[in-house]
Every structure is written in structure tokens, then in C-alpha cells.
Amino acid sequence: LNEVASHCLKAGAPSAEVCAVDVTDIALFRERLKALLAKLGDVEIFVANAGIGDTVPPTQDGSEHAIRMVDLNIKAAFVGIETMKPHFVARRGGVIAGLSSVAGFRGLPQAGIYSATKAALAVYLESLRGDLSPYGVRVSTITPGFIGTALNQRAGKLPFLMNVDKAGEVFARGVVRGKCYITAPWQFIPVTWLLKFVP
């Protein structure tokens, strides 16, 4: 986080604040968000980015995986956005973004829990988009495909694998512009559309 803050300052940011918190500790998360907002005075963009991915084979009890993914991928995202939402409504502008996934369009094998959490976030953001539009607040749904993270690199050969830095640029550019949906790599746009109609 300190390294990211250093990059922000070098890029011209007037200041950069760093705060580490367990976002599944809801009370503490809300407290830190409000304290950070008070310190900054204003926030133009809020990105709910925390999340984990996991696969659960059919022979395994996935209860613990389900609890962990729901707590992080859904509850923490919802709480973060809902805590910040009144600020954006009051300022009548800005961008709220959430990190869903192309897996949210169609359940993936052995990743039903993960796919469901990302679908839940995507539908929530879709609804929020309509609610906040009259206040000038834009809502972005980020849907990454296969990005060259350490986790995906361990998974072996994946189609349309995209470099992390390049993907980051695509997502950041889309969020700053307040695009409704931001998908990368671009090849997943037609693929996800087709998946809705494939049995």
C-alpha cells in the first residue's frame, strides 16, 4: 500500500492516504471508511475491489468456502458501497465501481459459489445505476476475464490471458470515464454474450 501511495504522489497526487483494514469486520470497515472520508474531505471515485476466487470440487463440502466468499465478495462490497453512497448523492456526482467478473454472467464448473457472488454484485450494481443516475452519480461494473495474476498463472494455459498492467489501465480508464460496463480482455465481451444462450 505504501508503494502504491508513493506511485500516486510521483504521478502528481497532492496527497495519498493509506489504511489497512479487514473489510469483513463490518463495524471496523465502516468506521475506517468514514474516518478516511472525513480526512480526505471529498471522494470522486470509490472502487469496491476486495474479493477472492476459489473452486470447490463436487466431492468436497464447500460451506467454509461459501461463507468466506459471501463475506468478502458480497457483504464487504455492499457495505463499502452503501456506506459511501450518501456522500456521492450529496455531492451529486462521482463514480462508484465494483469488481464483478465474467464468471458472473454464467456459472463456471466447480466455481458455482464464486460465480454466484460475482453475479450478485453485478445485479446490485445494475440496480444501483438506476437509483443513482438522477443524482449524477455513475456506477461502473468491472468484469475481468482471465488476467495474468499469480493465481491465474498457476492455473495453466487460459484463453485470452491479459497482462495485469494492461488490464489495470483498461479498468482505470473505464472507471474514470464512468463507463457502465468495463470488460477485459475484449474477447470476453462476445463470449459472455454467447454464453447466455448456450445450454
Side-chain angles (χ1 to χ4, degrees):
L1 290 176
N2 287 325
E3 189 179 335
V4 171
S6 175
H7 283 302
C8 291
L9 293 169
K10 284 177 188 169
S15 65
E17 299 292 334
V18 172
C19 174
V21 62
D22 176 358
V23 295
T24 63
D25 182 338
I26 299 303
L28 183 61
F29 180 32
R30 283 173 51 80
E31 178 190 303
R32 293 283 169 85
L33 267 181
K34 289 178 179 179
L36 196 56
L37 179 57
K39 192 169 188 180
L40 293 170
D42 187 24
V43 172
E44 294 177 48
I45 297 172
F46 179 78
V47 182
N49 182 47
I52 52 171
D54 215 345
T55 57
V56 183
T59 53
Q60 184 180 335
D61 178 349
S63 302
E64 291 301 317
H65 296 271
I67 291 165
R68 192 165 65 248
M69 279 192 269
V70 166
D71 282 351
L72 190 54
N73 297 3
I74 299 178
K75 282 168 66 177
F78 285 11
V79 166
I81 292 169
E82 287 295 321
T83 301
M84 295 298 291
K85 185 175 68 175
H87 165 76
F88 284 91
V89 168
R91 79 188 298 278
R92 301 195 77 81
V95 182
I96 293 174
L99 201 79
S100 181
S101 168
V102 294
F105 292 111
R106 186 71 186 260
L108 299 179
Q110 298 187 22
I113 301 163
Y114 174 76
S115 298
T117 63
K118 292 305 182 178
L121 181 56
V123 172
Y124 165 72
L125 292 168
E126 187 176 277
S127 180
L128 198 65
R129 189 172 295 115
D131 291 342
L132 298 185
S133 178
Y135 299 96
V137 182
R138 292 166 294 166
V139 177
S140 296
T141 305
I142 304 168
T143 54
F146 294 127
I147 310 299
T149 60
L151 181 67
N152 280 335
Q153 285 171 344
R154 285 198 303 268
K157 191 165 182 175
L158 296 169
F160 317 125
L161 191 68
M162 188 176 200
N163 173 276
V164 172
D165 292 334
K166 184 157 187 193
E169 287 175 20
V170 171
F171 299 140
R173 205 165 38 243
V175 168
V176 168
R177 291 176 183 163
K179 285 181 68 177
C180 293
Y181 294 94
I182 310 156
T183 303
W186 69 265
Q187 292 93 334
F188 277 94
I189 297 170
V191 167
T192 52
W193 185 83
L194 284 169
L195 279 174
K196 292 180 180 183
F197 302 98
V198 175

